[in-house]
Amino acid sequence: MIAYASIKIYTNETAQYEGQPLSTAIIGVVRSLRLAARTLVTRSFAGSYENGELATNRLVNASYDLPLVIEIVLPQAETQTILDVLNPMVADGLVTIEPLQLVAARTPSRVLLPNWLVKDVMTMHPKTGEIGMPLADAVKLLQDTALKCLPVVSPQNIPVGIVTQQDLIKRAGMPIRLSLLKDLSRVEQVAWASHVATLGLQDVMTRSPITVDRDATLDFAIKLMVQHDLKRLLVTGSDGELVGMLSRIDVFKVLSPAFMVKRADQDVDLSKGGVMQQVSELQQRDRLSVSEDECIETAIELLANEEVQRAAVVDEQLHLVGVITDARLLSAIDRIDSKGIFSFKRKEIPRVSDIMIKELVRVTEGDSLSTVLDLMIQNGLKRIPVVDAQGRFTGMIRRDSLLLALSKHL
């Protein structure tokens, strides 16, 4: 969730800035900066100042210089921008700042609050590699940090490329996805290490990656991700330097509390009113499935032919009973020999039902997309299977299809 902060200015009614009341001037400045900020001016009933002077609105000894509190609630990333402006404006008063815990952010007609910026949401200080970095070192870094991509920067920290898992597979001949490299046979690991020994990041990276300015609106960034079918955007500063990364999951973490508010034991669905759709309206899905009675060789062939990492498992009535993944298939294979990762040493080949994942998070056609969003965030999922009223499998919703649906309401 976006980190928020509260800036408060404790001043008085007579405080001025350039010929107008200070409170009016501050409201105008905050509006002009077009930040996702809310401003509140509170006039006190009574009070006192550091010099002991009393202020009251009682008719007897009435004061016309009552204390004012000007509060600005905004994303924490924007606080320095506001403070730089406020410091020369406040000639009489106190300026304080404190963090806030944002538990919900809602608007009746939009998915996002207006003026949320990329820098409010992005992941700061991403791991990077420089031109000339040996590819083997980059792969080790990705494995050690469980990352799926590595921005490539110049000595001046300007992004010049990005290396993704797909780049490694297509351009460096990586035989399997990063998380499963350790499951390759020793022979295959040595062979691939020898193949990449002379390669650097510049040999496999995607050049001229699409970037977004940190001061761009989140609306714009989401549309850019959808338009180019990107899982992430590199975020740059005013001089073009890399300052962060914005991924789909960063966006989802921000959106999740915008549609589901937990109050006691009751779930309040905020998707009603046309802002969000039901699962049944989302047709972009993965519909690949395999029977629970098939042998795992069939499942391996299915995943390999379709170039996917998972498939739903169904029974004879097409009820969803599990999910099979490439990781589960590999773990089911006995010690791998030099013939390759799909060589078996035992005669009895298990069935899909023997190794599938049975405990699943699933949704129904009648659930809202906000429910899907919350489940993805809570469980760290990239896909969620969907079933109809009878429990039959009707497809899997992916992060990219969910982001596309959300983008239509920006």
Side-chain angles (χ1 to χ4, degrees), residues 128-150:
T128 62
E130 287 195 6
I131 290 288
M133 180 180 187
L135 185 58
D137 293 348
V139 171
K140 185 177 187 306
L141 175 62
L142 290 170
Q143 286 183 291
D144 292 344
T145 55
L147 297 173
K148 298 294 175 61
C149 75
L150 189 68

Side-chain angles (χ1 to χ4, degrees), residues 148-149 162 164 225 230-234 245-247:
K148 298 294 175 61
C149 75
I162 187 170
T164 67
M225 294 173 77
L230 298 173
K231 295 180 180 179
R232 58 193 67 83
L233 288 170
L234 302 186
M245 186 179 295
L246 180 71
S247 68

Side-chain angles (χ1 to χ4, degrees), residues 34-47:
R34 299 186 64 80
L35 304 177
R38 295 198 178 197
T39 308
L40 174 68
V41 179
T42 306
R43 182 175 182 266
S44 300
F45 178 84

Side-chain angles (χ1 to χ4, degrees), residues 335-407:
R335 192 172 183 83
I336 303 165
D337 61 18
S338 60
K339 294 181 181 179
I341 61 173
F342 296 141
S343 296
F344 298 88
K345 284 191 172 181
R346 61 186 178 188
K347 296 180 180 179
E348 297 260 339
I349 299 177
R351 301 290 170 182
V352 169
S353 58
D354 298 328
I355 64 170
M356 67 184 183
I357 300 171
K358 299 178 182 179
E359 299 298 324
L360 300 177
V361 175
R362 68 188 74 192
V363 293
T364 68
E365 295 286 354
D367 285 328
S368 68
L369 294 191
S370 60
T371 299
V372 179
L373 183 61
D374 279 347
L375 288 173
M376 281 186 169
I377 297 299
Q378 294 166 9
N379 298 281
L381 301 173
K382 294 183 178 180
R383 291 170 176 79
I384 291 184
V386 183
V387 295
D388 63 15
Q390 288 72 43
R392 294 186 294 256
F393 175 67
T394 59
M396 283 195 190
I397 296 179
R398 306 191 311 267
R399 283 182 184 174
D400 58 345
S401 56
L402 182 57
L403 188 65
L404 177 61
L406 295 174
S407 70

